[in-house]
Amino acid sequence: MSLSNILPAHLRVGSSGIHLPGWISCKKPDGTTSHPLGRDPNGGPGVLGLNNRTWHAIDGTCEVPLPAGTNTVAFSRKPGWHFESFEIDTALGQLAARILPRSLPSRPLDTLEMDLGCTGLSPGSAWFEGRASGLDAVQLFHDPHDSWTFPAMMEFSGREAAVSREGCFVQVNTRNFGAFLGTLSLLDCHRPVFPLTLEDPNFSNWSLSDWWDQCHRKRGLVIWADETTRNDPHGHGEALAGVLLGKVDAFECTNFDLFREGGIALWMDLLTLGLAPSLAGSSGTRLPDTFPGKMRSLIHLGESHWVKAVAGGKVTATLGPSMVVRFNGSHPGQPIQFFNDLLDLEAFWDPSGCPDAAFPLALEIIGSQGIFWKSVCTSGNRIRAEVPLPPDTGAQISVRMTDPNGKILAMSSPFTVPNRCCPKTDNTMASLGRLMARLDETAKQLSGNRTHNSRREQADGNLKAAKLKLQSIFS
């Protein structure tokens, strides 16, 4: 068929008068990909490569070549977790087509789904892609290491929205790099907190505490960023100290790789000792297979502003499933009220719509000694159970969802178990040793680096106070 016989169709998603934003992947009758008009087929903002498909973000409508014959259109509002496939039979000259995705289960009204850390997109593109991914908000940060990285510093919005339309907003804040001391994301901040990096000798009299104090001065949110140097088992000691001293509000999670030193394994060491902060689900740098919301945060607001809710631990980090978990009516971040060492667990989530998704799913509860309860869900999307609470669970527990291959799909921030102390076992002592090594190595680097001599006293004070906190766990 010649190109002159292929006409662009006006493709609409949703019922009449209601257009649903999302991601589409179109294949022509001959199996080749059809790209919406005005989009770069080679990639860029609004284009995603995932599940062996090319996806395009749309606002509910687009113009796309649909040749005569059977065209296949896939539609997703949560790439990687949901998509539906539709066959559209078109005749030459047909100018409009419509697909009607099924309704997704609605999540509780007092929740938000937010990407708490994304870069590499302009605010407008982040809004467009975030809305297509079913997000309520995207938190963008400026990376000072690359002057060409989006968003630019001139787009800083702080506590205000840079873009806010149709139920989704975008804010632009900063990611502040402290070399071996650690990296912090300062969200909802009243102003940019300079310097953006401590690698310049001209700013050797600063420490991370200057950043978190200034950010907190007017209700800002401080997150320990999932930056490459956090993977060093001896790095980011002052950021760790900030967590232990209650100065850093959340721990950024960009994936659930249990074998990465600076990833969820590091957070699990904190959980083992009853010291884990809130999880902050973030997508990180925008890549061809990464999009706003690939890792996201389901935030339980209640009557709180989202910043207070995140700082309070009312967050579940997720790769897709909107998993809501409660123990005896308590959400993550809250103490559990229980009697006779029994917990009433209630969990529900939106079921996956991916044809190739692995089932059945399982829920696991983790304490200081690892997994102490597991239930496999062979059907449906809800579990209600009475869970016995062992005496050695420690002061915090978390719930995670896994697939049959053991891949983690979602994990809650910690629940507090009142009147429980951290038991002294091989497991807890190993976690204590790894955390203590980070603090000790950072102190060593400070003492041997003349560049940092002038801020040694301030940073050293934080490190020493954090070591005392760790040493007091078993006392």
Side-chain angles (χ1 to χ4, degrees):
M1 181 180 293
S2 68
L3 290 177
S4 61
N5 291 327
I6 300 178
L7 300 177
H10 182 62
L11 178 63
R12 303 172 185 172
V13 180
S15 57
S16 181
I18 300 176
H19 293 160
L20 298 178
W23 296 81
I24 64 164
S25 177
C26 300
K27 289 189 176 180
K28 303 174 186 176
D30 63 4
T32 60
T33 299
S34 184
H35 304 282
L37 299 184
R39 303 298 177 83
D40 186 349
N42 298 316
V47 184
L48 174 66
L50 195 67
N51 301 122
N52 297 315
R53 295 172 178 266
T54 300
W55 297 86
H56 297 271
I58 64 170
D59 64 0
T61 66
C62 66
E63 308 296 317
V64 59
L66 295 179
T70 301
N71 295 266
T72 303
V73 177
F75 176 75
S76 175
R77 278 167 286 184
K78 280 189 178 180
W81 181 248
H82 284 289
F83 79 79
E84 298 176 72
S85 186
F86 303 86
E87 289 188 347
I88 300 177
D89 293 318
T90 60
L92 187 62
Q94 185 170 340
L95 297 179
R98 184 186 298 276
I99 60 175
L100 299 174
R102 65 180 182 272
S103 299
L104 296 180
S106 57
R107 62 178 186 269
L109 294 176
D110 62 344
T111 62
L112 289 178
E113 287 200 4
M114 187 181 295
D115 187 331
L116 286 173
C118 178
T119 193
L121 289 169
S122 68
S125 295
W127 175 84
F128 197 84
E129 291 193 4
R131 185 168 174 262
S133 302
L135 294 174
D136 298 295
V138 178
Q139 294 296 318
L140 277 177
F141 59 82
H142 169 74
D143 184 345
H145 286 139
D146 187 352
S147 60
W148 297 103
T149 297
F150 289 110
M153 194 63 221
M154 288 186 294
E155 294 170 308
F156 179 89
S157 69
R159 300 177 67 177
E160 303 298 324
V163 182
S164 180
R165 298 198 303 272
E166 302 182 52
C168 181
F169 67 89
V170 175
Q171 288 173 267
V172 181
N173 281 268
T174 62
R175 174 158 285 186
N176 293 41
F177 291 82
F180 62 87
L181 295 176
T183 297
L184 303 178
S185 295
L186 308 181
L187 302 187
D188 208 57
C189 203
H190 59 291
R191 66 169 179 82
V193 183
F194 293 101
L196 299 182
T197 174
L198 301 184
E199 295 157 342
D200 187 335
N202 293 324
F203 294 104
S204 60
N205 60 336
W206 282 63
S207 77
L208 302 197
S209 56
D210 296 295
W211 286 337
W212 65 54
D213 285 345
Q214 186 61 246
C215 184
H216 280 151
R217 196 166 69 83
K218 291 188 178 180
R219 198 204 64 193
L221 184 73
V222 179
I223 297 177
W224 185 2
D226 192 357
E227 199 260 332
T228 305
T229 55
R230 199 175 74 178
N231 295 329
D232 182 348
H234 299 133
H236 282 211
E238 194 180 8
L240 170 60
V243 168
L244 299 175
L245 300 176
K247 302 296 186 178
V248 172
D249 304 306
F251 182 98
E252 185 177 49
C253 179
T254 57
N255 61 56
F256 288 127
D257 181 359
L258 285 169
F259 300 99
R260 187 164 63 87
E261 292 277 3
I264 198 67
L266 173 55
W267 184 84
M268 291 289 293
D269 278 337
L270 290 161
L271 180 78
T272 295
L273 300 175
L275 300 169
S278 177
L279 278 173
S282 304
S283 63
T285 303
R286 177 62 164 91
L287 300 171
D289 63 347
T290 304
F291 56 94
K294 181 175 184 179
M295 174 71 81
R296 63 184 70 199
S297 298
L298 178 66
I299 304 169
H300 308 278
L301 294 176
E303 298 180 356
S304 302
H305 185 272
W306 70 266
V307 169
K308 186 176 181 180
V310 173
K314 298 179 182 179
V315 180
T316 295
T318 172
L319 288 170
S322 298
M323 183 181 75
V324 176
V325 182
R326 292 190 285 257
F327 283 115
N328 297 9
S330 296
H331 285 292
Q334 297 177 318
I336 306 170
Q337 304 300 324
F338 61 95
F339 304 95
N340 300 321
D341 291 336
L342 291 175
L343 303 180
D344 180 16
L345 167 69
E346 181 184 12
F348 57 92
W349 57 91
D350 52 331
S352 175
C354 286
D356 57 350
F359 290 98
L361 302 173
L363 284 190
E364 300 170 342
I365 307 178
I366 308 145
S368 66
Q369 304 307 302
I371 300 169
F372 66 86
W373 184 88
K374 181 175 180 176
S375 178
V376 177
C377 184
T378 57
S379 63
N381 62 319
R382 181 180 293 268
I383 288 180
R384 186 77 182 262
E386 195 172 68
V387 178
L389 188 66
D392 60 353
T393 55
Q396 291 180 327
I397 61 174
S398 174
V399 181
R400 71 187 185 193
M401 176 187 287
T402 61
D403 70 10
N405 299 316
K407 178 184 177 181
I408 302 173
L409 302 175
M411 180 173 282
S412 76
S413 293
F415 294 81
T416 301
V417 185
N419 303 317
R420 290 291 176 94
C421 299
C422 180
K424 193 172 184 179
T425 65
D426 290 345
N427 193 48
T428 55
M429 290 300 293
S431 293
L432 178 65
R434 286 189 288 268
L435 298 180
M436 195 71 78
R438 284 182 178 261
L439 299 175
D440 287 339
E441 183 62 24
T442 299
K444 180 180 177 181
Q445 291 187 62
L446 275 174
S447 64
N449 190 325
R450 293 183 178 180
T451 302
H452 303 290
N453 281 351
S454 56
R455 72 165 178 266
R456 187 188 307 165
E457 183 177 350
Q458 188 175 17
D460 264 347
N462 293 327
L463 295 171
K464 289 175 181 176
K467 287 184 67 175
L468 289 174
K469 179 72 177 285
L470 287 178
Q471 291 165 350
S472 68
I473 288 177
F474 302 119
S475 60

